[in-house]
Amino acid sequence: MRKENFMKKQKNLIRLSNLLLDSLNELKKARLQQIQTMMDDFNVKCSEATKDSNLFRTAVEKGWLIGADDIRSKISRNINDFSYHLQRFKEFINADETSLPNFSDIYAELLQMEQEFGDVKFDLEGKFLSVTTDPITLEGIPLGPFEVSLPINRISKLYSDSPYRVIALKPNPASCNESVTHPHVSDEMLCEGEGHVAIRIALEQGRICDFFTMIVNILQTYNPSSPHVALDEWDGISCYDCGCTVDKENAYYCSSCERDFCECCTSYCHSCDETICLGCGTECPDCGELVCESCLIECSQCGSRLCRCCAEEGDLCSECRDIAEDNENVEQTKTDNEKENKNEKQDKCSKKRKANAKV
Amino acid sequence: MRILFVNNLGAGFADYVNIADNTTIEQFFAIKMQDQHEADYLIRVNRMPVPKDYILQEGDRVTITPTKIEGARPVMA
């Protein structure tokens, strides 16, 4: 029975080695295709230079001096472009000295992985290889164990995408961002930082064990200068407005929109003293103070909304109140004038009456 | 004597290097990884851990991997 299990395991390791080898061949092919594309670009630049050279020769021979000068300027402009492409092409073609591993190298890598990590999973159906880390605690914050999973058919996507995923098995994500399960992992993608090139080269060269070792070592290290969420803000709250992280004690809750905010993004209602965010506060057109939605009252005249304090002096805004006061004054003046006119008429009548009596 | 040296520090590379006979892994580390502490590296010879007085042999495969690698948030262009 034990021998059978051993044989089965050996068979699986052999099959997995072959799968990995095929995928690494695909990766090499992708790399060579990149070189081919770059070479094609370079060839286009070369043929443009040849074309310009022929034009220049013709122009000089025919004595078209102005035309020759124009072509010379064009060549001068293109030369900078040409040397840039040449330099890039040189760097790219020299960097590709990756020799493909053979079957026994890959097989040895898989055996080494078992020695180093113990818990190595390979699923021949789903075609992925994964290791599980020990529970990780950084600066006193438990982040739980992580599974580093490498789908074998994604190895060839190394140059366009991250081919592996880092999955938190007992996630303790940052309270301000659920997708950040580790200071350097967001949406199951590891930000490799200084390990980026070494990880890529390890995979290109089929050093699968080194590839996983470096990823695990990054997970066990904290770089405080460039995390997705800093560990000292791990349990903090993210301001809904500006996105900065604040301690729970220093966060402000807006009861209007039911969200948390930092000090800079909050104010208070000058009418009821309730904490409100800047988005939920409205400036009273009369006094200019910020008030919450429930403390706003509509002006019965123009419909504009004003705070309770300003509405206490009648349910009119200052503008409508001024107009109303002006109208009242006009009415009063009218009444006064009418009274005056009446009095004048009465005086005139009484004077006339007196004069008539004398006569 | 020629050995394969896989250095996973920085850009990482794997290349054959010539060393003197009877060089121990400790001496090799001191030569290749100047001013570095052994404790900060995972050192393997032929994929296995070895004592520091292990004498390197022709064709050995030495792997040195830092145990502390700092991740970083990608810089948005």
Side-chain angles (χ1 to χ4, degrees):
Chain A
M1 189 67 183
R2 202 181 279 176
K3 197 180 173 187
E4 259 179 40
N5 280 344
F6 176 77
M7 289 306 287
K8 194 180 170 191
K9 196 180 160 194
Q10 293 301 308
K11 259 187 181 178
N12 283 342
L13 278 179
I14 290 169
R15 280 178 67 192
L16 183 62
S17 303
N18 279 323
L19 282 174
L20 281 167
L21 208 53
D22 287 347
S23 220
L24 288 168
N25 279 329
E26 281 296 311
L27 180 65
K28 179 78 180 174
K29 196 175 162 188
R31 178 85 176 158
L32 294 175
Q33 275 169 345
Q34 271 190 326
I35 292 178
Q36 180 62 52
T37 311
M38 207 161 271
M39 209 173 334
D40 289 345
D41 286 348
F42 184 65
N43 279 342
V44 169
K45 291 284 161 205
C46 286
S47 56
E48 274 175 15
T50 314
K51 212 167 131 188
D52 288 341
S53 158
N54 289 338
L55 278 173
F56 187 72
R57 189 188 306 117
T58 312
V60 172
E61 279 171 4
K62 302 253 180 193
W64 300 335
L65 301 184
I66 296 171
D69 258 348
D70 284 347
I71 298 163
R72 190 179 57 88
S73 308
K74 192 183 163 198
I75 292 170
S76 166
R77 279 196 305 275
N78 286 349
I79 266 178
N80 290 331
D81 203 20
F82 184 81
S83 57
Y84 166 76
H85 277 270
L86 179 66
Q87 186 59 31
R88 231 180 126 224
F89 182 53
K90 250 168 82 179
E91 281 169 13
F92 207 77
I93 208 156
N94 288 339
D96 191 63
E97 287 168 355
T98 312
S99 55
L100 271 176
N102 55 33
F103 173 82
S104 57
D105 291 334
I106 302 283
Y107 185 81
E109 287 288 330
L110 294 176
L111 289 181
Q112 190 187 355
M113 269 181 76
E114 283 191 328
Q115 282 167 18
E116 298 284 352
F117 300 106
D119 190 9
V120 179
K121 277 194 278 179
F122 45 89
D123 181 348
L124 290 168
E125 296 293 313
K127 293 184 180 174
F128 73 83
L129 179 66
S130 68
V131 298
T132 304
T133 68
D134 291 331
I136 292 173
T137 299
L138 295 176
E139 303 206 345
I141 295 174
L143 303 168
F146 288 85
E147 183 184 285
V148 184
S149 175
L150 175 69
I152 295 167
N153 55 6
R154 287 192 61 84
I155 291 177
S156 58
K157 306 270 186 286
L158 178 68
Y159 304 120
S160 55
D161 194 8
S162 175
Y164 64 95
R165 291 286 175 271
V166 177
I167 304 149
L169 297 179
K170 286 182 185 166
N172 171 23
S175 52
C176 60
N177 189 346
E178 287 278 303
S179 61
V180 177
T181 52
H182 181 283
H184 305 302
V185 176
S186 176
D187 290 317
E188 299 185 348
M189 307 264 277
L190 175 71
C191 292
E192 297 153 343
E194 62 180 30
H196 177 73
V197 181
I199 286 174
R200 206 186 69 177
I201 290 176
L203 195 58
E204 280 174 349
Q205 296 179 345
R207 289 186 282 113
I208 309 292
C209 186
D210 286 351
F211 167 78
F212 279 102
T213 304
M214 283 187 276
I215 291 169
V216 171
N217 288 351
I218 292 175
L219 290 173
Q220 287 169 340
T221 312
Y222 174 50
N223 175 11
S225 61
S226 185
H228 284 294
V229 176
L231 285 172
D232 51 9
E233 295 171 351
W234 199 254
D235 293 321
I237 284 171
S238 174
C239 170
Y240 184 77
D241 199 350
C242 68
C244 75
T245 310
V246 286
D247 292 340
K248 274 180 185 168
E249 294 79 35
N250 295 326
Y252 292 85
Y253 181 72
C254 171
S255 51
S256 188
C257 62
E258 300 180 339
R259 290 194 172 105
D260 292 299
F261 293 87
C262 68
E263 193 179 359
C264 301
C265 298
T266 44
S267 185
Y268 69 96
C269 170
H270 284 72
S271 184
C272 67
D273 287 344
E274 191 74 29
T275 303
I276 46 166
C277 68
L278 299 179
C280 289
T282 308
E283 212 172 84
C284 169
D286 265 16
C287 60
E289 297 286 11
L290 208 66
V291 280
C292 70
E293 194 69 20
S294 56
C295 288
L296 284 170
I297 284 173
E298 253 186 36
C299 166
S300 59
Q301 200 66 41
C302 66
S304 69
R305 301 193 310 159
L306 60 154
C307 73
R308 279 182 200 281
C309 303
C310 295
E312 269 170 14
E313 302 160 22
D315 57 350
L316 293 175
C317 66
S318 59
E319 230 169 86
C320 291
R321 207 181 304 127
D322 287 347
I323 293 168
E325 275 172 13
D326 286 349
N327 286 345
E328 259 177 41
N329 290 339
V330 169
E331 287 291 318
Q332 189 65 43
T333 320
K334 258 186 185 177
T335 322
D336 290 349
N337 286 344
E338 276 172 10
K339 269 184 186 173
E340 261 177 41
N341 287 340
K342 213 177 175 183
N343 289 340
E344 269 176 29
K345 273 180 185 175
Q346 277 174 350
D347 282 350
K348 271 181 187 175
C349 283
S350 62
K351 274 178 186 172
K352 263 186 183 178
R353 249 184 252 128
K354 278 176 187 174
N356 287 340
K358 275 181 186 175
V359 171
Chain B
M1 189 171 72
R2 210 165 80 120
I3 62 162
L4 177 65
F5 174 37
V6 181
N7 182 358
N8 285 318
L9 180 69
F13 69 89
D15 208 356
Y16 287 96
V17 290
N18 288 311
I19 56 162
D21 287 352
N22 297 321
T23 305
T24 64
I25 185 68
E26 189 181 23
Q27 288 165 341
F28 180 76
F29 183 89
I31 295 164
K32 292 291 176 187
M33 312 293 288
Q34 284 173 16
D35 304 325
Q36 303 287 324
H37 297 285
E38 288 167 34
D40 296 334
Y41 291 87
L42 194 74
I43 303 165
R44 296 284 181 264
V45 178
N46 301 326
R47 304 180 189 279
M48 301 291 281
V50 288
K52 58 184 178 183
D53 57 355
Y54 171 86
I55 296 170
L56 292 167
Q57 308 293 317
E58 173 81 30
D60 273 352
R61 179 186 193 270
V62 177
T63 310
I64 295 178
T65 310
T67 52
K68 293 185 181 102
I69 309 174
E70 290 191 335
R73 191 172 49 187
V75 179
M76 304 306 277

